[in-house]
Amino acid sequence: MKKIMFFALLVIGFAFSQTTVNPDISAIGDLIIDQDGGISSSGVELAIQGYVNPFARADVFLHKHADHEAIHLEEAVISLERGLPFNLGMRFGKFRPDIGKINKEHAHTLFFIEAPKSMQDMLGDEMWGTLGVESNWLLPLSWYSKLSAGYFTKAMGTAHSHDEEEDPDEHSEETATAISARLSHFFDLNDVTHLEIGSGYYRDIENSESHLHHVFEMDFKFKWRPDTYRSITWQGEIFRKSPIDNPDNKSKLAGYSWMNYQFNKRWNIGVITDCIYFFNIEEEKHQSVGAFFGFSPAEESSVFRLTVSQENHGGETNLNILGQIIWALGPHKPHQF
Amino acid sequence: MKKLTVLMLLVSTILFGKVRVVTSITDFEDIAKTIGGKRITVTSIARGNQDPHYVEVLPSYMMKVRRADVYLQVGMELDLWSRQIIDGSRNNKLQIVDCSQNINRLEVPTDKIDASMGDIHSKGNPHYWLDPINGIIIAETITNALIEADPDGREYFTSQLLKFTNDVNQLMKKWEVEFKNLVGKKVIFYHNSWPYFSERFGLEVVQFVEPKPGITPTPTHLDKLIRIIQSDNVKVMAMEPYFSNKAPDFLNLKTGVNVVKIAQSVGAISGVDSYIQMFEFNLKALTEALEK
């Protein structure tokens, strides 16, 4: 953990030492209530963001989960957006690689409370964040088309530990390397309707703790937004993970799809379905369907969310009801743009 | 062969010889079109019927900026979303122009501001294009940007600026006479977008439907507005078309105040197709609502 914190301080120092202007500092916290009346929190996220120079920006996200847990470095990344030739961009540091849609979305920007189980299973309980370098290229086409590829030091799907004693980030730095790539396209179907489609590939190069895998993914997002405060959004993605070096390991398929209807400035409602399917192991199958709604009374700086879901895991069925209150201080707010 | 070469040169001049301008809002698009004429192509990111505070950053907007020469920003923290679009465009040669640079800013906070005050902009109220005289200042800024991008067009751009300035000055004289009845009239606006407009045309802004900028009206605030409308004899409540009718309709039901939708940008309301038309439409709409 000390090593990670040192790295974060290094990034912050490098990023902001060339300017006398303060970066944006934000905090986001929440409170979660379950159907049994249990109260918990996913912690507080601290974001420090700003421009390093006219061509690059730095984003640092620190996450404190609970009192007894260590501060976790979620991201500390420098992004070169403008300045590189041939429409190239580059990110380096610790960040969430460009694979699928949901991997880059922080939990508080989702319309529901937790990322789908299928994605937690594939990408990790807090999605796939790793040290690495990633470059991307805007293809010279008439529509927006981006190809990204990166080299990383942590395997996809590694669980996070919030324990002071054990830090998987440090551990996995020494034991795993991986590559991933994604091609995405964005189309304006008309002035108010947009479609984004993407497909990606991930491959373990080495992993001393687990067998090697490779993953294919496909994703889409459709949005109809007739005016500022009304929209229908439909998003989904599917991942297939297969073993490379051990044929006894079974492949698995995981995917989700959700649809959200924002019917005025403050209210939204939606449905979600989620599935994990292990080839040839029927009892391991996980399925869930659910509904969610959200209410943001003031400028997205506070949001109330409710999620009701029916889960079926290996034949066992559970009903989950979760309520969440999110608050935000500063410019990094719980919305997607 | 010669004919083909000449034709290709002509086509490439028509297609690629123009200065490509992208603007944050449609008002700048219209002013740039007036100044740049056929020497430029111009497109706006936000549509006129959109709330310019909230524009979702779409990759297709980055494509618009990717090949642009000039980007015209509102600045003053209104179109913060434009930075993300510009970054995503990868356009290193883009001339980014903040059109607020020479504006005499109103409502600049002198004290520490925070979110308890609502959506306050630390550099002042950013809706400065709603004063036609500021339109001239914006046009001057745009002219300088276009001259930098296309020095050969200096004469043309300058003559267009002169024409625009004369048109606006003449219209101002006409409007001051035609709409003199607006001076001193009490108006409630939905959002605090209109200080520049009100100051120019002499309106007295009594209150806002939003209790604080960007905050949806509460029952307590609506109750307060009912009392103000009745005690101050406020005849008109004006709103941008993208806000919900719910609270204004409620106020109309309770007090009889005339609710009127006015255009905060070119294209906000059908028929408002130019910067000049926007003022004519708004002034007429307010006058009619006051005379009802």
Side-chain angles (χ1 to χ4, degrees):
Chain A
M1 177 47 67
K2 276 179 189 163
K3 218 192 282 181
I4 290 284
M5 295 308 293
F6 176 74
F7 174 72
L9 288 171
L10 199 69
V11 169
I12 296 168
F14 169 72
F16 303 115
S17 61
Q18 296 176 34
T19 172
T20 53
V21 181
N22 284 329
D24 293 333
I25 299 172
S26 319
I28 293 184
D30 73 350
L31 190 78
I32 297 172
I33 303 165
D34 62 31
Q35 72 260 44
D36 302 320
I39 293 178
S40 61
S41 170
S42 57
V44 174
E45 181 180 287
L46 184 71
I48 305 162
Q49 299 171 286
Y51 283 88
V52 181
N53 56 44
F55 311 107
R57 56 174 292 116
D59 297 271
V60 177
F61 297 96
L62 299 165
H63 203 147
K64 173 80 172 161
H65 283 266
D67 288 346
H68 63 281
E69 290 169 356
I71 294 173
H72 164 67
L73 176 68
E74 226 174 81
E75 292 187 56
V77 56
I78 303 280
S79 307
L80 296 170
E81 300 277 10
R82 301 165 69 216
L84 293 179
F86 312 116
N87 291 319
L88 286 167
M90 184 161 268
R91 294 196 290 165
F92 53 89
K94 186 176 182 191
F95 59 94
R96 296 182 177 195
D98 185 17
I99 187 100
K101 283 294 296 173
I102 211 165
N103 192 51
K104 296 188 297 294
E105 295 169 4
H106 286 204
H108 54 256
T109 68
L110 302 173
F111 289 113
F112 29 89
I113 295 170
E114 288 178 331
K117 287 274 190 303
S118 58
M119 294 298 106
Q120 291 187 34
D121 184 78
M122 276 287 169
L123 297 159
D125 53 353
E126 289 179 21
M127 305 294 103
W128 181 37
T130 168
L131 275 174
V133 58
E134 186 181 80
S135 66
N136 55 69
W137 179 41
L138 285 190
L139 273 62
L141 300 169
S142 59
W143 68 92
Y144 185 92
S145 181
K146 188 168 85 170
L147 177 66
S148 56
Y151 176 81
F152 308 103
T153 60
K154 185 176 151 189
M156 180 193 285
T158 311
H160 278 277
S161 166
H162 304 135
D163 197 326
E164 288 276 13
E165 301 301 317
E166 191 191 342
D167 190 332
D169 293 326
E170 288 180 18
H171 188 53
S172 59
E173 275 170 35
E174 296 159 12
T175 57
T177 52
I179 53 167
S180 83
R182 179 168 181 259
L183 178 64
S184 60
H185 307 276
F186 185 92
F187 304 101
D188 282 332
L189 302 180
N190 58 41
D191 273 357
V192 296
T193 316
H194 316 283
L195 175 68
E196 185 181 352
I197 52 170
S199 56
Y201 178 69
Y202 162 92
R203 187 182 178 93
D204 287 321
I205 296 173
E206 62 168 319
N207 191 339
S208 60
E209 291 194 331
S210 165
H211 293 291
L212 301 182
H213 292 88
H214 63 158
V215 176
F216 292 94
E217 67 88 9
M218 290 175 77
D219 56 82
F220 74 93
K221 183 177 182 177
F222 170 86
K223 190 158 192 172
W224 175 70
R225 193 187 180 101
D227 57 53
T228 305
Y229 301 120
R230 271 191 317 136
S231 65
I232 291 176
T233 314
W234 181 27
Q235 179 175 311
E237 54 192 301
I238 189 160
F239 282 61
R240 180 183 169 134
K241 186 175 185 179
S242 309
I244 296 171
D245 59 347
N246 184 357
D248 293 337
N249 258 359
K250 299 297 176 197
S251 296
K252 65 177 165 183
L253 203 62
Y256 72 88
S257 178
W258 58 257
M259 186 177 277
N260 178 66
Y261 177 41
Q262 176 96 35
F263 51 95
N264 65 31
K265 187 179 178 182
R266 297 194 290 174
W267 297 89
N268 71 282
I269 191 160
V271 288
I272 182 166
T273 179
D274 188 23
C275 181
I276 307 171
Y277 176 73
F278 293 81
F279 288 89
N280 304 324
I281 317 174
E282 183 62 28
E283 60 272 18
E284 284 290 328
K285 195 173 167 184
H286 168 91
Q287 275 180 317
S288 80
V289 288
F292 54 86
F293 94 95
F295 169 61
S296 49
E299 294 287 290
E300 306 281 0
S301 55
S302 52
V303 180
F304 299 93
R305 284 180 187 143
L306 183 73
T307 303
V308 181
S309 62
Q310 174 91 34
E311 280 187 6
N312 184 318
H313 186 81
E316 272 185 42
T317 304
N318 292 313
L319 179 73
N320 292 318
I321 303 171
L322 287 177
Q324 184 187 34
I325 303 165
I326 308 178
W327 55 266
L329 192 64
H332 181 60
K333 291 197 169 91
H335 60 68
Q336 296 204 8
F337 55 92
Chain B
M1 188 62 192
K2 270 183 187 172
K3 273 183 188 171
L4 187 68
T5 314
V6 169
L7 187 69
M8 281 174 71
L9 273 171
L10 195 69
V11 169
S12 66
T13 308
I14 291 166
L15 290 178
F16 307 112
K18 294 179 174 183
V19 178
R20 285 160 293 204
V21 181
V22 179
T23 67
S24 280
I25 56 171
T26 49
D27 310 86
F28 296 174
E29 180 189 18
D30 188 63
I31 296 173
K33 213 179 275 174
T34 306
I35 304 298
K38 287 180 179 172
R39 294 189 74 92
I40 69 163
T41 61
V42 57
T43 183
S44 168
I45 296 292
R47 284 175 279 129
N49 60 359
Q50 262 183 308
D51 184 345
H53 298 84
Y54 302 100
V55 172
E56 185 174 12
V57 174
L58 298 176
S60 49
Y61 297 156
M62 296 167 189
M63 292 300 288
K64 284 184 180 179
V65 179
R66 189 171 165 181
R67 291 187 189 88
D69 301 296
V70 179
Y71 189 96
L72 302 174
Q73 281 180 321
V74 179
M76 295 174 76
E77 300 174 347
L78 182 87
D79 51 349
L80 290 169
W81 41 266
S82 66
R83 284 308 295 261
Q84 231 177 310
I85 293 170
I86 292 166
D87 284 349
S89 74
R90 307 281 161 82
N91 186 342
N92 307 326
K93 293 167 189 161
L94 188 69
Q95 186 194 154
I96 303 164
V97 181
D98 182 343
C99 292
S100 72
Q101 57 189 272
N102 296 318
I103 297 292
N104 183 20
R105 299 171 177 194
L106 299 181
E107 299 178 357
V108 182
T110 48
D111 245 330
K112 184 179 178 290
I113 59 163
D114 61 41
S116 70
M117 299 163 177
D119 186 19
I120 292 276
H121 299 273
S122 67
K123 292 176 181 168
N125 192 302
H127 301 273
Y128 57 86
W129 68 91
L130 289 166
D131 173 356
I133 298 302
N134 282 347
I136 295 173
I137 299 170
I138 296 163
E140 285 166 358
T141 306
I142 292 173
T143 304
N144 291 336
L146 293 181
I147 290 170
E148 195 178 324
D150 175 16
D152 293 344
R154 173 185 288 271
E155 206 176 313
Y156 177 76
F157 299 141
T158 314
S159 68
Q160 287 297 98
L161 171 66
L162 191 66
K163 189 174 173 297
F164 178 80
T165 308
N166 288 338
D167 287 351
V168 172
N169 283 332
Q170 277 179 15
L171 282 166
M172 265 310 299
K173 282 179 193 160
K174 180 184 151 227
W175 290 335
E176 275 165 4
V177 177
E178 197 177 336
F179 301 107
K180 64 180 179 204
N181 288 346
L182 289 178
V183 176
K185 292 292 185 305
K186 291 175 177 172
V187 179
I188 290 178
F189 285 107
Y190 194 105
H191 178 76
N192 187 13
S193 308
W194 305 90
Y196 297 91
F197 180 85
S198 306
E199 192 173 277
R200 181 60 57 198
F201 296 103
L203 290 164
E204 188 187 331
V205 185
V206 213
Q207 259 293 343
F208 303 100
V209 176
E210 290 178 336
K212 283 176 181 173
I215 306 297
T216 311
T218 58
T220 320
H221 185 67
L222 290 175
D223 191 46
K224 181 181 156 189
L225 287 178
I226 290 169
R227 277 184 278 116
I228 290 171
I229 291 168
Q230 286 165 345
S231 63
D232 289 14
N233 194 23
V234 181
K235 291 267 182 358
V236 173
M237 205 231 82
M239 63 185 285
E240 292 88 338
Y242 48 75
F243 285 122
S244 162
N245 290 328
K246 210 173 151 187
D249 286 350
F250 174 78
L251 292 171
N252 170 264
L253 191 74
K254 293 286 176 188
T255 64
V257 67
N258 293 319
V259 177
V260 59
K261 289 193 177 181
I262 53 177
Q264 87 296 338
S265 270
V266 175
I269 288 173
S270 174
V272 179
D273 298 324
S274 76
Y275 186 66
I276 299 296
Q277 274 180 15
M278 177 175 72
F279 291 105
E280 285 187 334
F281 178 90
N282 290 346
L283 291 165
K284 274 182 192 161
L286 285 166
T287 307
E288 281 168 16
L290 279 163
E291 286 169 357
K292 261 187 194 173

